[in-house]
Amino acid sequence: MLRSLVGSEMCIRDSFCSGSAWETAKASTRLGKEVIVREGFRGLMKGSLIMSSKRAADWTSRFFFVELVTGIVCPPGSERTTLKTSFCGLAGGALSAIATIPMDVAVAQAQQASSSGTKTSTLNLFMNQLKEQGVKETVGFATRGLVPRVAHVAVSTLLMKSFSSYMYEMYRG
């Protein structure tokens, strides 16, 4: 939440655009103090529960799907090549993105709603969307940005899971 406050606060953007790191740091600190005075220390942590839940779901599903695909592509006893390992990382990342895209959209919508001062839960966002727009629109809403998300997650999973494992195996010998 603080990150979105910092990004939308004009005094901070003006300081940042002026090129002065010191001025930006002072403006960010000033904003943090204002949030603490207005809302207490918990105000700095708005959205942290949903963000940490999202991160856990993201990386848990990425590792799960990479291992699932690896079990299919490289059954025990078969040769595990760099090409197969890379494919498993990309495919596992793509499957993870598809599985978690509704949560990503919900997080973005919840952050947008909270930055406008509206307090709403993730479940309420989807329920309202379903009630107002129907199933087809809700599915469209829940999968907004799917192609770029799949590409991003597939490549990051390839690098973080498959490539790092490959480098570890090379190092270990």
Side-chain angles (χ1 to χ4, degrees):
M1 178 63 181
L2 185 59
R3 191 180 87 197
S4 62
L5 275 173
V6 168
S8 63
E9 192 68 25
M10 192 57 82
C11 68
I12 294 174
R13 286 194 305 194
D14 290 346
S15 299
F16 182 73
C17 293
S18 72
S20 169
W22 178 246
E23 290 303 316
T24 302
K26 287 188 335 188
S28 295
T29 303
R30 201 169 32 252
L31 177 61
K33 285 179 183 177
E34 288 173 15
V35 169
I36 291 169
V37 167
R38 189 173 57 242
E39 303 174 37
F41 281 103
R42 295 185 88 182
L44 297 175
M45 300 304 292
K46 280 184 184 173
S48 63
L49 178 62
I50 196 167
M51 286 304 296
S52 57
S53 300
K54 178 183 164 324
R55 287 288 173 245
D58 283 347
W59 283 103
T60 301
S61 66
R62 290 174 192 180
F63 275 66
F64 170 77
F65 283 115
V66 169
E67 293 303 319
L68 181 72
V69 172
T70 300
I72 295 166
V73 173
C74 305
S78 70
E79 182 185 7
R80 189 180 282 197
T81 66
T82 304
L83 182 62
K84 285 181 182 179
T85 301
S86 298
F87 171 78
C88 293
L90 288 169
L95 291 170
S96 170
I98 291 166
T100 59
I101 191 78
M103 183 190 280
D104 293 332
V105 172
V107 166
Q109 293 295 322
Q111 287 174 331
Q112 191 175 37
S114 76
S115 68
S116 70
T118 306
K119 191 168 185 159
T120 186
S121 73
T122 308
L123 181 60
N124 284 342
L125 284 169
F126 279 112
M127 295 304 289
N128 290 339
Q129 181 74 24
L130 186 60
K131 184 176 160 184
E132 294 171 12
Q133 304 291 327
V135 174
K136 183 178 178 185
E137 292 298 319
T138 302
V139 170
F141 168 75
T143 57
R144 191 175 296 154
L146 180 64
V147 172
R149 177 80 180 141
V150 166
H152 165 78
V153 173
V155 171
S156 66
T157 304
L158 168 67
L159 294 173
M160 295 299 288
K161 172 75 172 94
S162 301
F163 183 70
S164 63
S165 296
Y166 175 75
M167 293 304 291
Y168 177 75
E169 291 299 323
M170 278 184 50
Y171 174 75
R172 213 171 67 163

